[in-house]
Amino acid sequence: MPQTRVVVVGSANMDLVATAPALPRPGETLLGTDFVMVPGGKGANQAIAAVRAGAACAFLGAIGSDSFGVTIRARITAAGVDSTGLRVVYGTSGVALVMVNAEGENAIVVSPGANASMTGLTEPELTVVREADVLVAQLEIPVETVTEAAVAARAAGTRVVLNAAPARSLPRELLDATDVLVVNESEAQALTGRGLDEPQALLDLAPRAVLTLGAAGAWYGDRDGTSVHVPAVRVEAVDSTAAGDAFTAALAVGWGEGRDVVDAVRWAAAAGAACVRRLGASVALPHRAEIDELYQPG
């Protein structure tokens, strides 16, 4: 079977991760337990996760001219991602400040830095998108750029998986070019204005939708009438920071390899579960063997 070609258009950050018994309340200072500094960003995470899941992956994004940018590029390249499309702009790289409590829950603040400069795609970058089997995108870069990539992908027959995170208003042009929409609970509520008891409202936005529910698993639905709950894989959670990125990447890879979408969601659930067992973002992303080990077919 030929290797699935995935292209990820998105953000690259340096993640500064601190752990503490609880997440601090406003105005509260807590004594933490551990600290790690690792490259992350939803785009870079999903690109690395796609490679580890078995795909050939190219990443289109931007880093700063600072030392963080040097480290980010080195990590992405070492992971086997094609980073020739990674731009360098003068100034700071994106930074994510991540706090993780004893239960593995997190709170994150992202400073976009160079990611905000990712405006417009060049013709060579659009060619990379058109030649891929699956485009994966998120919303930590300007939405106009995401839309441009998705429209180019749709015109070329490349499948589009949109992880609408962080939630923001989405242009109809982007939604019309999206094949699968992936969101968590807060993003779903922000996009639809509906409660979690109405996940079908996501299908007003895209023909297929996945709602990730953390420890409760995931919901998948499509406009053909499919509505499936995929249970979570039980593991001991350490850090959920990159679980959604592992999930989205595995979904794209599995679907690109020929799995039906529901089975790809089940495989993605195993990837998310494998990821939460380790602290950190890119360092926690699972390899294919780990995903297969936890995969639970329907």
Side-chain angles (χ1 to χ4, degrees):
M1 180 176 64
Q3 195 174 27
T4 295
R5 298 167 300 168
V6 174
V7 60
V8 176
V9 178
S11 59
N13 299 323
M14 182 60 76
D15 289 351
L16 310 179
V17 185
T19 61
L23 299 178
R25 297 185 294 271
E28 181 182 20
T29 299
L30 294 177
L31 185 63
T33 51
D34 293 297
F35 173 79
V36 293
M37 184 172 70
V38 292
K42 296 193 73 63
N45 287 344
Q46 291 175 11
I48 293 172
V51 168
R52 291 185 178 178
C57 183
F59 178 57
L60 303 179
I63 52 176
S65 55
D66 55 3
S67 60
F68 283 171
V70 174
T71 303
I72 291 168
R73 178 186 289 279
R75 175 60 63 86
I76 291 172
T77 303
V81 176
D82 179 352
S83 62
T84 55
L86 186 58
R87 305 177 185 178
V88 180
V89 299
Y90 180 77
T92 61
S93 299
V95 174
L97 306 176
V98 184
M99 296 174 291
V100 183
N101 69 12
E103 287 72 45
E105 297 174 323
N106 63 63
I108 305 173
V109 176
V110 177
S111 176
N115 296 304
S117 73
M118 192 68 182
T119 54
L121 296 174
T122 65
E123 188 56 36
E125 289 169 339
L126 289 170
T127 298
V128 171
V129 170
R130 296 183 184 112
E131 292 178 348
D133 297 310
V134 186
L135 168 70
V136 179
Q138 330 75 34
L139 302 175
E140 289 182 342
I141 62 172
V143 69
E144 296 81 7
T145 305
V146 176
T147 301
E148 183 181 10
V151 170
R154 169 54 61 88
T158 298
R159 293 172 172 176
V160 177
V161 175
L162 175 63
N163 179 204
R168 64 172 74 179
S169 178
L170 300 178
R172 190 70 245 178
E173 189 178 19
L174 172 56
L175 293 171
D176 288 345
T178 297
D179 292 295
V180 180
L181 178 68
V182 182
V183 291
N184 66 17
E185 299 169 69
S186 62
E187 293 152 2
Q189 289 179 315
L191 288 173
T192 67
R194 308 281 186 87
L196 295 179
D197 57 338
E198 299 180 76
Q200 288 83 0
L202 291 168
L203 299 177
D204 293 336
L205 305 177
R208 304 171 189 84
V210 179
L211 173 61
T212 59
L213 300 166
W219 171 87
Y220 168 77
D222 60 38
R223 290 177 181 169
D224 292 330
T226 304
S227 180
V228 178
H229 173 257
V230 175
V233 180
R234 300 300 176 189
V235 295
E236 183 177 348
V238 174
D239 180 8
S240 63
T241 300
D245 297 332
F247 181 102
T248 300
L251 170 61
V253 174
W255 192 33
E257 289 180 345
R259 296 174 186 262
D260 65 62
V261 189
V262 174
D263 190 51
V265 172
R266 295 185 189 280
W267 200 61
C275 184
V276 304
R277 298 185 296 185
R278 289 190 290 271
L279 179 66
S282 59
V283 295
L285 297 168
H287 292 270
R288 189 179 185 98
E290 298 174 89
I291 302 172
D292 288 340
E293 179 185 359
L294 294 178
Y295 166 61
Q296 298 175 354

